[in-house]
Amino acid sequence: MAQTTLPPSADLENTSAKTKHDRGGAWWFYTIGKAFFGSVFVVVALFPLAWMVIAGFKSKTEVISTPFQFFPEVWKWENYTQILSDPTFMKTMGWTFMGAILFTLLALTINSLAAYAFARLDFRFKSALWVIVITTMFIPGMTILLTSFVVVSDLGMLDSLAVLVLPGAASAATIFFIRQFYLSIPSSLEEAAMLDGCSRFQIFWRLFLPLSKAPFVVMGITTFLAYWNSYVWPIMTITNPDMYVVQQYLATFRSERSTELGLLMAGSVLAAAPVIILFLIFQKQIIGNIKMAGLK
Amino acid sequence: MQTGKRRFASVAAVASVTALLLSACSGGSGGQSQSTDEGTAAPDSGDKVTIEFWHRTFTPVENEWYTQIVEDFNNSQDEIFVNDTEIPADAWDQRMKAAQAAGNAPDVYTHAGSIQDAVNAGQLHELNGIVSDDALGQIIDSALPVSAIGDKFYAYPLLLEPQTVLFWNKDMLEAAGLDPEVGPSTWQDLMDACAAIKPTLAAGQFCISPAGDAPTFAWSTVGQQYNFSGHTALNDTWTEPNINDQGYKDLMDSYKALWDNDYMPKQPLGPYVEGREFGEEKVAFKVSGSWMMSEIGSDFPDVLGRTGIGAFPNSPNADGRTATTMGNFKWVVDAKAKNAEAAGKFLEWAIAGDPANLVPFFVETQFTKVPVRMSVQEAVSADAAADDAPWSAIVMNDIAPTAIPEPSYPWDVSLAVGTAIEKVMKGAASTDEAIKTAEDEIRVVIERENLPEKAPSEG
Amino acid sequence: MSTRDVMTLEQEGIIGTMEKPPKAGRKMKRSKARSSGVMPYLMVLPALVMLGIFVIWPAVYAGFLSFHDWSFYKDPAFVGFRNYANVLKDPLFWAAVRRGFIFVAMTVPVMLVLAFLFSSLVVSVSRRFASVLKVSIYIPTIISAVIASIIFVLIYDYSGGLLNALLGVFGVDPVAWIGDPRWALFAIAVPAIWLGMGLTSLIMVAGMIDIPQEFYEAASMEGANWWQKTFYITLPQMKNILLYLLITGFVSAIQQYELPLVMTGGGPLDSTTTPNLFIFNHFRNDMNVGYSIAAALLLFVVLGSISALVFKFVNSERLVD
């Protein structure tokens, strides 16, 4: 059982040529085993999604018909075309996307500024303020669901972009994450910049931001997804159908006394598609950058 | 709208962004910037009084009727503008709670269930004085318990609908050698029918799909509790639970028999309030509210002609008592409505005025709901389409007249009973254990909510 | 709500905090303490103001309400600790808390073990296969909890669901996955794991890749097998990451309510009423909000204490590179 762990950068062809010579049988055994387990992971991860796509092609009564049918009788595009041709859907997607981008930018801006100050600067009350920030990390959303609604209502923010974008933007978890990363940047860099006569803010702007790609990508994608998938907060604060976010739009297929299963599944596929495509485009950056800044 | 406060919130945000965009070596601070303003999309209403109206998402035909009635009202006069909002069904409770907490609940909204709690909490505006006495006087007697307390009206009913009705698939009954036109009238008949039907079923089909979980049992079996025991879950003075008797035990055991014999699925095939599994012909019997007929009509039109409908089966000791509660849907005016007068006018015009406004609602929902004014009942039954809805007579004449009103005690009391029924049915507890636990839970509620003080003066 | 309120809040916070904040990392050599007067305040101001308005103030307000009976249309009536007493006396609340911990035990360890196996696989295969694995495991993370709930409800359907159809092929009777109290919580743990695996796995992979290769080479010279390498090199090297994932996993699992809300509503027989769902259901059904807010605050105290303890511990423990 002396199987060496290959270095992650190892190239399969090279190693295969070498190891096949060394120990033919064992090597094949391991390779096939790994391929098998890897495939199991892939199938289990993607199957429910595939199921959702297939269900989107079914009519309302076919989705859970008895006896069970894996594929639809007839592959119907109606569910997909009906949603795609609905101008409301397209508008909702655009609106949600814009909100998510805005939310992500705002969150990264506010939180990284605070993270920098807490990581690199000294000021009065710093430790007290830090305790306050960290405390907010442990307040479950459920505790303040009602009272934060009363606050945004008193501020006159209901049915606006502001109510979707502002309340969740400042986040202790994000500040903590980015701060940990900044703590690990050597101070010699800063001192050099200080000698060049740059202000604190410029150091942050010219030096730290370009270095912050990794935590920004990780926190950015998390923040974006949180906005895209939010449901409970929007249904409480947005009643104007023109301002529905995408999860609210999907909820219109589940009314109290009749549920359009096929449409719902098709809609869910279409709602998830842009985010999945985005992820596939940026997957190298995202996956490459997921590191626990500061936890190493 | 509190522009000042909103400005403060968004200026803080915007200022931080602008601060970032300055890249001079002096590191300035953000200057003044305008707040990102976002007007709510209320259509221009000139100098009209604006009324907010919220209603729940229901079946498509109902949603269309709501939209239409508001539009018609807005076009009928030029003093009041009603802004109509449809709230998704699963968001209603928390949306409404939040709005009430923030003091901006809608002026007029739809309301289901008992009004007792809401009136005690001061949430509803009295209708006497903002709706004409003539309109209030037209409400039929059976709808009074859900709309008035003493001689004061707090809600105007739109409809009544029996919440526990038995539907059956005539073809499946016939295939089992049963009379497709007559449903079971007692629990024994039902068990016999299931015994006959079960051998004829394919895999994945079941004899009956009744309520199957505690919350549904909680509200949908109140009529059955009355049918079996002659009373509901509390004593008259609301000082003690009243569920420890043979009637309650028999009711629980009846469900256990359905469960043990595999007459019902071990997991609900669909929500109680929907008719999906019935429409897909997975079950011979389905228990639901009378409204299910209209769903079958809109979603499974080919099954509609083969659907039988009748009163829910009786306990052997029913003594002529009903087995269903009368669900209801009402419109109420919020206690904090700024323009209660205008809200009352809209309410009266829409559901307490010209019967012609209401006829489409009852026709489109397949004659499965009971109008609450004689004039509307007559107008609806005079509609040409009424002849194609033979079941409406069963709902109106056989089931509705004797149905009891929904309980006015708190939901937690009903839930304790519902949980007991589910426990016994699934064999998780004996009837005695389940009843004892439920009694304890009910006593906690009695104490917590101070129920003896809230008991209705008359039974 | 005004700036003044936020200021008072902050002062209260300052007065109320007696402990030192957690020391993070090795002390850097500070360049010029008390630097550039007002700049740090400008930098932390946006975050603090927004946290103040949208988190701290609502939390204080919730604290106030928890001592009152309030049904919105009459002035809140002060009832002292009665709401808290009602919650603490309620066996259903304790059952929900216990269930929350059971749910954590069902999901977090499984996720960690699976993610660890997954990472071990990823670092030992070709680069192309590794990226396919990483992309596939992350994609479910993109799906919202509500949609995931609906997909799994369809899969679990009693008559016509995929899972029971699969069992039927082998002649097994259908199982009431979300209708049977014995299965229901497990049935909800599956989508929770499915949704949570992505980020957990990728963080785990990142940590594993960072372990210097020389350690393994040296171990191979000594003739160590995979198990020995795992126990003596991989696990110790990844201690911090495992701890971090354990906390974040615990905090998110104990707060889970969207899945049971959509899939079962908390049933059958309360078997899927997680602590947050218990609170949410009370919030939706009660006339007075005092009870649900008191329950939420009690939960916050429990959660907050546990998280804060572990958090301090992780933050003070550092690996020597």
Short mmCIF file of all heavy atoms in Angstrom, two decimals, chain B residues 358-383:
data_model
loop_
_atom_site.label_atom_id
_atom_site.label_comp_id
_atom_site.label_asym_id
_atom_site.label_seq_id
_atom_site.Cartn_x
_atom_site.Cartn_y
_atom_site.Cartn_z
N LEU B 358 -70.35 40.58 -8.01
CA LEU B 358 -69.90 39.35 -7.36
C LEU B 358 -70.19 38.10 -8.17
O LEU B 358 -69.53 37.07 -7.98
CB LEU B 358 -70.54 39.23 -5.97
CG LEU B 358 -70.02 40.26 -4.99
CD1 LEU B 358 -71.03 40.52 -3.89
CD2 LEU B 358 -68.70 39.80 -4.40
N VAL B 359 -71.19 38.19 -9.05
CA VAL B 359 -71.59 36.98 -9.79
C VAL B 359 -70.41 36.32 -10.50
O VAL B 359 -70.21 35.10 -10.37
CB VAL B 359 -72.75 37.29 -10.76
CG1 VAL B 359 -72.99 36.12 -11.70
CG2 VAL B 359 -74.01 37.61 -9.97
N PRO B 360 -69.57 37.09 -11.23
CA PRO B 360 -68.47 36.42 -11.94
C PRO B 360 -67.58 35.62 -10.99
O PRO B 360 -67.09 34.55 -11.34
CB PRO B 360 -67.68 37.57 -12.56
CG PRO B 360 -68.55 38.77 -12.47
CD PRO B 360 -69.58 38.54 -11.43
N PHE B 361 -67.36 36.14 -9.79
CA PHE B 361 -66.49 35.45 -8.83
C PHE B 361 -67.04 34.05 -8.52
O PHE B 361 -66.31 33.05 -8.56
CB PHE B 361 -66.39 36.27 -7.54
CG PHE B 361 -65.51 35.65 -6.50
CD1 PHE B 361 -64.15 35.90 -6.50
CD2 PHE B 361 -66.04 34.83 -5.51
CE1 PHE B 361 -63.32 35.33 -5.55
CE2 PHE B 361 -65.21 34.25 -4.55
CZ PHE B 361 -63.86 34.50 -4.58
N PHE B 362 -68.32 33.97 -8.23
CA PHE B 362 -68.90 32.68 -7.84
C PHE B 362 -69.08 31.75 -9.03
O PHE B 362 -69.00 30.53 -8.89
CB PHE B 362 -70.21 32.90 -7.08
CG PHE B 362 -70.00 33.54 -5.74
CD1 PHE B 362 -70.13 34.92 -5.57
CD2 PHE B 362 -69.59 32.78 -4.66
CE1 PHE B 362 -69.89 35.51 -4.35
CE2 PHE B 362 -69.36 33.37 -3.42
CZ PHE B 362 -69.51 34.74 -3.27
N VAL B 363 -69.30 32.34 -10.20
CA VAL B 363 -69.45 31.51 -11.40
C VAL B 363 -68.10 30.94 -11.81
O VAL B 363 -67.95 29.74 -12.06
CB VAL B 363 -70.07 32.34 -12.55
CG1 VAL B 363 -70.03 31.55 -13.85
CG2 VAL B 363 -71.48 32.74 -12.20
N GLU B 364 -67.07 31.82 -11.83
CA GLU B 364 -65.74 31.38 -12.28
C GLU B 364 -65.15 30.35 -11.33
O GLU B 364 -64.33 29.52 -11.74
CB GLU B 364 -64.79 32.59 -12.37
CG GLU B 364 -65.09 33.54 -13.51
CD GLU B 364 -65.01 32.87 -14.87
OE1 GLU B 364 -64.10 32.04 -15.05
OE2 GLU B 364 -65.86 33.15 -15.74
N THR B 365 -65.52 30.40 -10.05
CA THR B 365 -65.00 29.40 -9.11
C THR B 365 -65.93 28.19 -9.06
O THR B 365 -65.99 27.47 -8.07
CB THR B 365 -64.81 29.98 -7.70
OG1 THR B 365 -66.03 30.61 -7.30
CG2 THR B 365 -63.70 31.00 -7.67
N GLN B 366 -66.69 27.99 -10.13
CA GLN B 366 -67.47 26.76 -10.34
C GLN B 366 -68.56 26.54 -9.30
O GLN B 366 -68.85 25.39 -8.96
CB GLN B 366 -66.55 25.52 -10.35
CG GLN B 366 -65.34 25.64 -11.24
CD GLN B 366 -65.66 25.28 -12.68
OE1 GLN B 366 -66.74 24.78 -12.96
NE2 GLN B 366 -64.74 25.55 -13.57
N PHE B 367 -69.14 27.59 -8.78
CA PHE B 367 -70.28 27.44 -7.85
C PHE B 367 -69.92 26.60 -6.63
O PHE B 367 -70.72 25.80 -6.17
CB PHE B 367 -71.48 26.82 -8.57
CG PHE B 367 -71.92 27.58 -9.77
CD1 PHE B 367 -71.39 27.29 -11.03
CD2 PHE B 367 -72.83 28.63 -9.66
CE1 PHE B 367 -71.78 28.01 -12.14
CE2 PHE B 367 -73.21 29.35 -10.78
CZ PHE B 367 -72.69 29.04 -12.02
N THR B 368 -68.70 26.74 -6.13
CA THR B 368 -68.30 25.91 -4.99
C THR B 368 -68.28 26.74 -3.70
O THR B 368 -67.98 26.21 -2.65
CB THR B 368 -66.90 25.34 -5.19
OG1 THR B 368 -66.00 26.43 -5.44
CG2 THR B 368 -66.86 24.39 -6.36
N LYS B 369 -68.53 28.00 -3.79
CA LYS B 369 -68.48 28.86 -2.61
C LYS B 369 -69.86 29.46 -2.37
O LYS B 369 -70.64 29.65 -3.31
CB LYS B 369 -67.45 29.97 -2.81
CG LYS B 369 -66.05 29.42 -3.11
CD LYS B 369 -65.09 30.54 -3.45
CE LYS B 369 -63.81 30.03 -4.09
NZ LYS B 369 -62.94 29.30 -3.21
N VAL B 370 -70.15 29.75 -1.12
CA VAL B 370 -71.48 30.23 -0.77
C VAL B 370 -71.46 31.75 -0.61
O VAL B 370 -70.73 32.26 0.23
CB VAL B 370 -71.95 29.60 0.57
CG1 VAL B 370 -73.37 30.01 0.88
CG2 VAL B 370 -71.81 28.08 0.51
N PRO B 371 -72.27 32.46 -1.41
CA PRO B 371 -72.36 33.91 -1.21
C PRO B 371 -73.04 34.20 0.12
O PRO B 371 -73.83 33.39 0.62
CB PRO B 371 -73.23 34.38 -2.38
CG PRO B 371 -73.21 33.27 -3.37
CD PRO B 371 -73.05 32.01 -2.57
N VAL B 372 -72.78 35.39 0.69
CA VAL B 372 -73.29 35.67 2.04
C VAL B 372 -74.48 36.63 2.03
O VAL B 372 -74.89 37.10 3.08
CB VAL B 372 -72.19 36.26 2.94
CG1 VAL B 372 -71.08 35.25 3.12
CG2 VAL B 372 -71.66 37.55 2.36
N ARG B 373 -74.98 36.95 0.86
CA ARG B 373 -76.19 37.76 0.79
C ARG B 373 -77.21 37.06 -0.08
O ARG B 373 -76.84 36.50 -1.13
CB ARG B 373 -75.88 39.15 0.20
CG ARG B 373 -74.99 39.99 1.11
CD ARG B 373 -74.87 41.41 0.57
NE ARG B 373 -74.09 41.46 -0.65
CZ ARG B 373 -74.28 42.35 -1.62
NH1 ARG B 373 -75.27 43.22 -1.54
NH2 ARG B 373 -73.51 42.37 -2.69
N MET B 374 -78.48 37.08 0.32
CA MET B 374 -79.51 36.40 -0.45
C MET B 374 -79.54 36.92 -1.89
O MET B 374 -79.65 36.14 -2.84
CB MET B 374 -80.89 36.60 0.20
CG MET B 374 -81.07 35.85 1.51
SD MET B 374 -80.44 34.15 1.49
CE MET B 374 -81.55 33.40 0.29
N SER B 375 -79.40 38.25 -2.05
CA SER B 375 -79.49 38.81 -3.40
C SER B 375 -78.40 38.23 -4.31
O SER B 375 -78.65 37.95 -5.48
CB SER B 375 -79.36 40.33 -3.33
OG SER B 375 -78.17 40.67 -2.65
N VAL B 376 -77.22 38.01 -3.74
CA VAL B 376 -76.13 37.45 -4.54
C VAL B 376 -76.39 35.97 -4.82
O VAL B 376 -76.18 35.49 -5.93
CB VAL B 376 -74.77 37.65 -3.84
CG1 VAL B 376 -73.64 37.09 -4.69
CG2 VAL B 376 -74.53 39.11 -3.53
N GLN B 377 -76.86 35.26 -3.79
CA GLN B 377 -77.16 33.83 -3.99
C GLN B 377 -78.14 33.66 -5.15
O GLN B 377 -77.98 32.78 -6.00
CB GLN B 377 -77.74 33.22 -2.71
CG GLN B 377 -76.70 33.11 -1.59
CD GLN B 377 -77.17 32.24 -0.43
OE1 GLN B 377 -78.27 31.71 -0.45
NE2 GLN B 377 -76.33 32.11 0.58
N GLU B 378 -79.17 34.50 -5.15
CA GLU B 378 -80.17 34.38 -6.22
C GLU B 378 -79.56 34.72 -7.57
O GLU B 378 -79.78 34.02 -8.56
CB GLU B 378 -81.36 35.31 -5.93
CG GLU B 378 -82.28 34.72 -4.86
CD GLU B 378 -83.03 35.79 -4.09
OE1 GLU B 378 -83.10 36.95 -4.57
OE2 GLU B 378 -83.55 35.47 -3.00
N ALA B 379 -78.78 35.79 -7.61
CA ALA B 379 -78.18 36.19 -8.89
C ALA B 379 -77.25 35.11 -9.41
O ALA B 379 -77.19 34.86 -10.62
CB ALA B 379 -77.43 37.51 -8.71
N VAL B 380 -76.53 34.46 -8.50
CA VAL B 380 -75.59 33.43 -8.93
C VAL B 380 -76.34 32.21 -9.45
O VAL B 380 -76.01 31.65 -10.51
CB VAL B 380 -74.64 33.03 -7.77
CG1 VAL B 380 -73.84 31.79 -8.14
CG2 VAL B 380 -73.71 34.18 -7.44
N SER B 381 -77.38 31.80 -8.72
CA SER B 381 -78.08 30.58 -9.19
C SER B 381 -78.89 30.86 -10.45
O SER B 381 -79.25 29.93 -11.17
CB SER B 381 -78.95 30.00 -8.08
OG SER B 381 -79.75 31.01 -7.53
N ALA B 382 -79.14 32.15 -10.73
CA ALA B 382 -79.86 32.48 -11.96
C ALA B 382 -78.93 32.47 -13.16
O ALA B 382 -79.39 32.55 -14.30
CB ALA B 382 -80.52 33.86 -11.82
N ASP B 383 -77.62 32.40 -12.90
CA ASP B 383 -76.67 32.44 -14.01
C ASP B 383 -76.82 31.19 -14.88
O ASP B 383 -77.07 30.08 -14.38
CB ASP B 383 -75.24 32.51 -13.46
CG ASP B 383 -74.24 32.79 -14.56
OD1 ASP B 383 -73.79 31.82 -15.22
OD2 ASP B 383 -73.94 33.97 -14.78
#
